[in-house]
Amino acid sequence: MRVAIAGAGNVGRSIARELIANGHTVLLIDRDPNAIKTDSVPGAEWLLADACEVDSLEEARIDKVDVAIAATGDDKANLVHSLVAKTEFAVPRTVARVNHPSNEWMFDEVWGVDVAVSTPRLMCALVEEAVTVGDLVRLFSFRGGKTNLVEMTLPFDSPIVGRRVADLNLPGDFVLVAVIRDGEARAPQHDAALEGGDELLFIGNPDAEHALAQFLAPSEQRLQQGDDDDDDDDD
């Protein structure tokens, strides 16, 4: 693929190195002369320009790229770059960095953003995924939040422990896409039974997340477990 990256800071350069290592062609764009460090990513093309200006993006031939990535430290600049790339140059796919979680709601198709990547939210999700059992954790949103990747570590007293994957009637349009057991990921097998402690990965509509959480670990059950834990502490 040919990829344009707006923002040649540490984040932009790191993305560029990864993409180049995977065989893609990368153009880094930045308006700050001090950010143009060609030796830091020798395999990239570089352009000193404002990635939010139409004229600059015409010079960059942004209409020829497969993906436009907005990776600056300024959320406003990332939104404007995504909007111009999508609406003026019909870039097939845009990816935008979200620096401040309070701005995340704006990073959607209205602003030309196909995929929003929020580092604070991602780090929080990874922490929750590592320490929580019986709670649904949102790991990633696709296409402006219309489809989410979510995870739950199945509690041992879940009503679906011991049931076959083929017998699960998941709420909404959620699909079980992977089971992680003993640190190994495996594709769901229709005849395989689920076990307590399994990490389950699902993809589906966020509107059905609450129903999925209730299906996997009913809230009353979790509350009862919490009360029992409190009683043990009192002893």
Side-chain angles (χ1 to χ4, degrees):
M1 296 187 299
R2 180 169 177 79
V3 182
I5 302 175
N10 290 329
V11 173
R13 295 197 302 271
S14 295
I15 296 171
R17 293 189 194 99
E18 291 290 331
L19 290 171
I20 291 171
N22 290 329
H24 303 297
T25 301
V26 176
L27 169 65
L28 281 160
I29 309 170
D30 206 296
R31 65 179 182 178
D32 182 1
N34 294 321
I36 307 300
K37 302 177 180 179
T38 55
D39 292 341
S40 63
V41 192
E45 301 172 24
W46 294 77
L47 178 64
L48 177 62
D50 188 339
C52 295
E53 296 288 341
V54 173
D55 291 344
S56 298
L57 295 181
E58 286 180 346
E59 181 183 356
R61 300 299 303 276
I62 200 77
D63 58 314
K64 300 298 183 183
V65 305
D66 300 291
V67 182
I69 301 175
T72 79
D74 185 337
D75 283 344
K76 291 183 292 185
N78 291 341
L79 285 171
V80 172
H81 174 75
S82 299
L83 181 63
V84 174
K86 179 65 72 173
T87 60
E88 297 294 328
F89 297 95
V91 174
R93 191 162 182 82
T94 58
V95 180
R97 170 189 176 188
V98 183
N99 296 279
H100 300 288
S102 61
N103 296 330
E104 190 172 355
W105 64 275
M106 293 187 290
F107 284 73
D108 58 18
E109 65 275 4
V110 175
W111 279 93
V113 178
D114 291 322
V115 179
V117 181
S118 172
T119 302
R121 179 176 292 278
L122 181 58
M123 292 182 68
C124 181
L126 291 175
V127 170
E128 290 180 340
E129 183 272 333
V131 301
T132 60
V133 175
D135 289 326
L136 201 66
V137 178
R138 182 180 301 173
L139 298 179
F140 196 76
S141 294
F142 301 92
R143 290 290 181 184
K146 295 180 180 178
T147 303
N148 289 342
L149 173 67
V150 298
E151 179 270 352
M152 178 183 283
T153 299
L154 199 63
F156 285 88
D157 56 354
S158 167
I160 70 167
V161 167
R163 291 176 60 180
R164 297 189 314 148
V165 171
D167 295 333
L168 299 180
N169 185 19
L170 298 175
D173 61 353
F174 268 98
V175 177
L176 177 62
V177 294
V179 177
I180 301 175
R181 182 179 298 165
D182 299 327
E184 295 184 0
R186 60 194 71 187
Q189 302 296 322
H190 286 288
D191 292 329
L194 297 175
E195 299 179 4
D198 284 348
E199 290 184 58
L200 308 179
L201 298 179
F202 302 89
I203 289 180
N205 192 310
D207 293 338
E209 284 183 6
H210 178 71
L212 178 64
Q214 287 293 99
F215 177 78
L216 300 173
S219 57
E220 295 82 0
Q221 185 172 300
R222 295 201 302 271
L223 289 173
Q224 181 62 46
Q225 183 177 355
D227 292 340
D228 293 343
D229 291 341
D230 291 341
D231 293 340
D232 292 342
D233 291 340
D234 292 340
D235 293 342

